[in-house]
Amino acid sequence: MKWHIGCSGFHYKHWKGTFYPEGLAQKRWFEFYTAQFGTLELNVTFYRFPRGPVLRGWYERSPEDFRFSVKAPKAITHFKQFHGTSDMLSDFYGTIREGLGVKLGPVLFQFPPRFHYEPERLQRVLDQLDLGFNNVLEFRHTSWWCEEVYTALRHRGLTFCGMSHPDLPAEPIITGSVVYYRFHGVPELYRSYYSEEALAIVADKIRVEPGVKEVWCYFNNDAAVAAIPNAHTLIDLAGKIL
């Protein structure tokens, strides 16, 4: 069971003086981050379509064994909600594959809370995903936590994104050999710090699941710089598990 643990983004100005040294230039923040963590979840691609040269730059500036998870643009998941997005998806997949190469990890599709479960909606998503990628689906409405969804994802080799979120179930959901889990902050979204005990509970639940080969965990509780120590703590816990 290989664990990949990091943060959801790295370019946060409020991390300066706490994580990033005061005298370190912003253009060196990426290298500083990659020296401490082995993976990064790219959230910037959610807000604007990724550009190949930028991705290639990160590829070339990161260690050989570094891995990126990439969040799909909200134009696909939020605005169009997979209506007529085949060409857009093809461009997106092609860009991240060319830009990140062997360092490309999972591809995360986060859906808005208003996107509740309907069989037609799920099928629309499944029909357009490129199964040649490690696709992860993150839902923000509780109706998706049901066996019909889990079964459909298992059948297609897709990963259900588990998460720690104030309004959603926290149980890790296993739909295959890959587990993906995001820590958003509880009780205060994007801010709350997790105790070692809370992190150990999640890690232990994943550890006992048979057939799991890879675990990707990212901390999105960046507002109070809690993501950094929490990620380090989970790395220590994963080391003890291994």
Side-chain angles (χ1 to χ4, degrees):
M1 186 181 293
K2 183 172 179 57
W3 290 70
H4 307 267
I5 300 167
C7 301
S8 300
F10 74 95
H11 200 275
Y12 299 115
K13 292 184 178 180
H14 59 283
W15 284 10
K16 184 176 182 179
T18 50
F19 178 55
Y20 298 121
E22 283 287 357
L24 184 67
Q26 285 190 24
K27 64 181 180 180
R28 307 304 301 175
W29 286 4
F30 178 73
E31 284 81 0
F32 188 89
Y33 176 93
T34 61
Q36 298 204 31
F37 298 103
T39 187
L40 171 68
E41 185 182 74
L42 291 176
N43 264 321
V44 65
T45 53
F46 177 70
Y47 299 101
R48 54 183 180 270
F49 200 90
R51 295 191 296 117
V54 175
L55 297 178
R56 179 51 56 173
W58 284 331
Y59 174 91
E60 293 173 350
R61 292 164 57 197
S62 57
E64 184 177 353
D65 60 349
F66 197 82
R67 295 294 179 267
F68 297 88
S69 291
V70 183
K71 194 172 180 181
K74 62 180 179 180
I76 296 173
T77 56
H78 286 54
F79 299 157
K80 290 183 174 293
Q81 296 187 11
F82 274 76
H83 284 289
T85 52
S86 294
D87 290 343
M88 189 181 295
L89 272 165
S90 180
D91 289 344
F92 169 66
Y93 280 128
T95 299
I96 61 176
R97 171 179 278 164
E98 182 177 354
L100 296 176
V102 297
K103 295 183 181 181
L104 175 61
V107 182
L108 175 66
F109 294 87
Q110 177 193 308
F111 295 90
R114 67 181 182 278
F115 192 75
H116 57 83
Y117 172 60
E118 292 179 2
E120 182 277 330
R121 282 180 167 173
L122 176 59
Q123 194 61 48
R124 189 169 73 234
V125 172
L126 297 182
D127 287 345
Q128 294 184 65
L129 293 176
D130 185 337
L131 300 185
F133 292 80
N134 182 1
N135 298 291
V136 180
L137 304 184
E138 181 185 25
F139 301 108
R140 293 292 183 91
H141 191 279
T142 55
S143 59
W144 292 93
W145 272 254
C146 65
E147 195 55 46
E148 292 86 352
V149 174
Y150 307 155
T151 299
L153 268 59
R154 290 189 187 105
H155 180 69
R156 297 291 187 100
L158 304 173
T159 300
F160 187 104
C161 180
M163 72 193 80
S164 175
H165 187 287
D167 303 320
L168 298 167
E171 194 77 14
I173 304 297
I174 314 300
T175 58
S177 62
V178 176
V179 174
Y180 200 101
Y181 197 92
R182 306 182 80 205
F183 293 87
H184 293 296
V186 172
E188 193 173 358
L189 190 63
Y190 307 132
R191 180 170 293 274
S192 291
Y193 176 88
Y194 291 94
S195 67
E196 181 174 344
E197 180 182 6
L199 297 177
I201 289 173
V202 175
D204 286 342
K205 288 180 178 179
I206 295 173
R207 176 182 58 83
V208 298
E209 289 289 339
V212 174
K213 296 180 180 179
E214 279 195 305
V215 183
W216 302 79
C217 292
Y218 293 102
F219 288 86
N220 197 26
N221 54 336
D222 63 84
V225 203
I228 299 298
N230 278 169
H232 282 307
T233 297
L234 187 58
I235 288 171
D236 291 340
L237 289 171
K240 294 175 184 177
I241 290 173
L242 297 174

